[in-house]
Amino acid sequence: EENLYRLGDIAYKIHNVVLSVRLDSILDLKKIALRSKNTEFNSKRFHGLIMRSRDPKATAIVFKSGSMICTGAKSEKDGKEAILKFVKIIRNAGFTDLKMQNYRITNIFATMDYKVPINLMQIHIAFPRITKHEPEVHRGLLYYPFDTKLLVTIYASGKITITGAKSMSILERVRNNLTNMILQMRIRNNDSDKLISY
């Protein structure tokens, strides 16, 4: 029973937070690249300016329209810090009137590991409306929580991948829902040590 309820302590690990923001200005990307370090711009290959930050580690793609997409951050805090750093660099390149608008998280990619085998078919039978299981096509169970655009993949090994979360609170809800689902299955089987995997 002790091992069973340890499932509730499982934490998620964030691998990538993608954020977007509008800078409310038309930008000269070539000018920014020439005046800034850790930037890359080749209009013949790609129409966006690539900016890189080492601390916090993140990469931004900036477009002439003023749109910026920041990826590679390991937390929302790091993503915000990276965006502010990129905006400061652009301002120092001569665009002093920038205004940040429509800041938002567009995607969080995270993983979890319950470290116990999970019976995928049993979960699919218990929750047919919010799961999809086609073992001949994909070895994981697809779980679509609470009518969102999130995609959660559950593997028989106990590993989980979460894609499409747009806030930390939604990620926490997914974690809680998953834990409850798995606990229900293990309690139903009256076996806290082992599940038969399919």
Side-chain angles (χ1 to χ4, degrees):
E1 184 175 355
E2 182 182 356
N3 290 336
L4 178 65
Y5 289 98
R6 282 179 184 172
L7 289 177
D9 297 329
I10 297 298
Y12 47 78
K13 179 179 181 181
I14 296 175
H15 298 269
N16 187 20
V17 179
V18 182
L19 308 102
S20 67
V21 66
R22 290 191 60 83
L23 302 181
D24 193 31
S25 179
I26 300 300
L27 303 174
D28 184 336
L29 302 182
K30 183 177 180 180
K31 178 180 177 181
I32 297 170
L34 291 173
R35 295 187 177 186
S36 310
K37 296 181 180 179
N38 300 316
T39 61
E40 179 182 336
F41 180 64
N42 186 334
S43 58
K44 294 181 180 179
R45 295 176 56 188
F46 182 60
H47 58 280
L49 169 71
I50 298 174
M51 307 180 72
R52 294 184 176 86
S53 167
R54 293 183 180 179
D55 185 21
K57 188 175 182 180
T59 300
I61 302 175
V62 185
F63 298 96
K64 181 180 178 180
S65 63
S67 295
M68 177 188 289
I69 299 171
C70 179
T71 184
K74 301 298 184 183
S75 68
E76 182 179 3
K77 177 177 177 291
D78 284 353
K80 286 181 178 179
E81 288 182 6
I83 284 177
L84 292 174
K85 185 175 181 179
F86 293 135
V87 169
K88 182 178 180 180
I89 290 171
I90 295 172
R91 283 177 174 151
N92 289 341
F95 299 87
T96 56
D97 296 329
L98 294 183
K99 294 180 181 179
M100 293 176 55
Q101 298 179 341
N102 300 330
Y103 165 87
R104 62 191 178 98
I105 295 176
T106 60
N107 184 30
I108 300 174
F109 173 66
T111 59
M112 299 167 56
D113 189 354
Y114 285 97
K115 300 185 185 300
V116 295
I118 297 174
N119 187 322
L120 302 183
M121 185 58 72
Q122 188 182 50
I123 291 180
H124 178 54
I125 292 172
F127 304 96
R129 294 185 178 181
I130 56 174
T131 63
K132 183 177 181 181
H133 186 42
E134 298 178 334
E136 67 280 3
V137 177
H138 191 276
R139 63 189 181 94
L141 171 78
L142 303 181
Y143 164 50
Y144 304 92
F146 35 82
D147 298 325
T148 68
K149 294 183 179 180
L150 271 74
L151 175 59
V152 180
T153 306
I154 306 171
Y155 296 94
S157 64
K159 295 183 183 297
I160 312 286
T161 63
I162 304 169
T163 305
K166 298 186 184 299
S167 71
M168 303 305 296
S169 60
I170 290 178
L171 198 59
E172 187 66 24
R173 285 179 63 192
V174 171
R175 186 194 73 86
N176 292 340
N177 284 11
L178 282 169
T179 301
N180 289 335
M181 287 171 60
I182 295 169
L183 282 172
Q184 284 183 44
M185 294 302 98
R186 291 176 70 82
I187 292 172
R188 184 176 299 178
N189 285 329
N190 195 26
D191 181 1
S192 62
D193 297 317
K194 182 177 181 181
L195 281 175
I196 300 174
S197 301
Y198 292 90

